[in-house]
Amino acid sequence: IAKLTNDNTEAYLKLSHLHYVLGDEDESLREIRECLKLDQDHKACHEHYKKVKKLVKRLTTAQDKINEGLYSEAIAKLEAALKTEPSQPKIVLKILSRLCLSNKQGGFA
């Protein structure tokens, strides 16, 4: 529905928040970028964009480190991601499960 309206920044912001709450930070990032395409100066979109972008970067880097077998580096990125988002249950669960995996695979558990 948001895609049918030319200037519906609030819809993109709501969609982004919805994806975020559901634990789909990648889709949340895509939606918030659409909001910023419509209005680069939209304060709420910009604030949410910074948070989601930082989280996605940390999670992506952590996953890359896990794939490379660099578990202590992955743990550092995951701990940073947890500080970025300590309250959304689905995202926190995702981070904690990757932390658990990294600790186990790295022999730290």
Side-chain angles (χ1 to χ4, degrees):
I1 295 173
K3 291 175 175 54
L4 298 176
T5 307
N6 285 342
D7 188 24
N8 201 347
T9 54
E10 292 304 314
Y12 282 114
L13 179 59
K14 286 181 182 179
L15 279 171
S16 181
H17 278 290
L18 177 62
H19 286 293
Y20 194 77
V21 168
L22 292 173
D24 189 354
E25 64 282 345
D26 291 321
E27 189 61 32
S28 176
L29 186 59
R30 277 190 282 282
E31 295 295 344
I32 203 66
R33 283 181 174 151
E34 290 298 321
C35 178
L36 289 171
K37 283 180 188 176
L38 296 174
D39 182 359
Q40 295 177 17
D41 299 323
H42 194 285
K43 187 177 179 181
C45 285
H46 190 66
E47 288 174 7
H48 187 63
Y49 171 75
K50 288 191 302 185
K51 180 178 182 176
V52 176
K53 183 180 176 191
K54 181 187 280 189
L55 179 68
V56 167
K57 182 175 181 178
R58 288 178 172 170
L59 289 175
T60 301
T61 303
Q63 189 60 51
D64 291 344
K65 298 300 180 187
I66 290 169
N67 294 343
E68 295 168 14
L70 303 171
Y71 299 108
S72 59
E73 292 179 36
I75 290 168
K77 291 295 179 183
L78 290 165
E79 288 173 345
L82 197 54
K83 288 179 183 171
T84 301
E85 183 47 73
S87 61
Q88 286 298 328
K90 294 195 182 237
I91 292 175
V92 170
L93 180 61
K94 184 184 297 188
I95 295 168
L96 292 177
S97 67
R98 290 181 188 176
L99 267 171
C100 186
L101 170 73
S102 297
N103 278 304
K104 182 180 177 196
Q105 295 294 329
F108 307 117

